């Protein structure tokens, strides 16, 4: 019988790289992984500080549920929020994969 192991991966990175994140998420999903992505802001929809905090908490919950995070660090850019996500993942002993390292391997 075939045994297939699915890896749950949370995408992390600056929302400036939203398009790259979605392309990477699709490629990883096509490889059979379960991909969790950030919630992207909707234009013309303002959020309160409480709502923004809830979105942040939800993203950290995704990291908790994951086997690994994939950091989309285009041009090696990692902002403050992404740095916190990396620290949190490491604290939870999650695998941390960097997009730039994947590019070098391929």
């Amino acid at each position: 019988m075939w045994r297939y192991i699915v890896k749950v991966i949370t995408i992390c990175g600056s929302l400036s790289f939203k398009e790259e994140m979605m392309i990477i998420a699709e490629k990883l999903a096509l490889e059979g992984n379960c991909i969790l992505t950030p919630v992207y802001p909707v234009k013309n929809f303002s959020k309160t500080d409480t709502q923004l905090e809830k979105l942040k908490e939800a993203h950290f919950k995704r990291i908790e549920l994951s086997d690994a995070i994939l950091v989309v660090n285009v041009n090696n850019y990692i902002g403050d929020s992404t740095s916190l996500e990396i620290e949190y993942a490491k604290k939870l002993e999650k695998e941390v994969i960097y997009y730039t390292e994947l590019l070098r391997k391929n």
Side-chain angles (χ1 to χ4, degrees):
M1 178 179 236
W2 291 96
R3 186 169 179 213
Y4 194 78
I5 298 173
V6 173
K7 189 175 262 192
V8 179
I9 302 170
T10 295
I11 303 291
C12 297
S14 169
L15 293 181
S16 300
F17 306 132
K18 178 171 57 171
E19 187 172 330
E20 290 89 343
M21 286 188 204
M22 296 315 318
I23 291 167
I24 293 163
E26 182 176 12
K27 286 180 181 179
L28 291 170
L30 290 171
E31 292 173 3
N33 298 289
C34 176
I35 307 303
L36 305 176
T37 63
V39 173
Y40 300 109
V42 178
K43 291 181 181 180
N44 301 324
F45 178 73
S46 62
K47 290 169 218 51
T48 65
D49 289 342
T50 302
Q51 290 171 321
L52 291 171
E53 187 62 31
K54 287 188 183 293
L55 289 175
K56 180 180 175 181
E57 289 172 10
H59 193 64
F60 278 83
K61 180 56 93 176
R62 288 182 197 89
I63 293 170
E64 291 174 18
L65 296 170
S66 297
D67 300 309
I69 66 168
L70 190 144
V71 179
V72 179
N73 58 330
V74 176
N75 299 319
N76 290 310
Y77 176 78
I78 297 176
D80 294 338
S81 294
T82 305
S83 292
L84 291 173
E85 294 162 358
I86 293 167
E87 287 176 33
Y88 189 65
K90 287 180 177 179
K91 177 182 167 191
L92 297 174
E93 299 181 355
K94 306 294 182 175
E95 180 182 6
V96 178
I97 306 161
Y98 294 90
Y99 176 66
T100 52
E101 290 177 11
L102 289 178
L103 289 176
R104 282 187 223 131
K105 291 179 183 178
N106 292 327

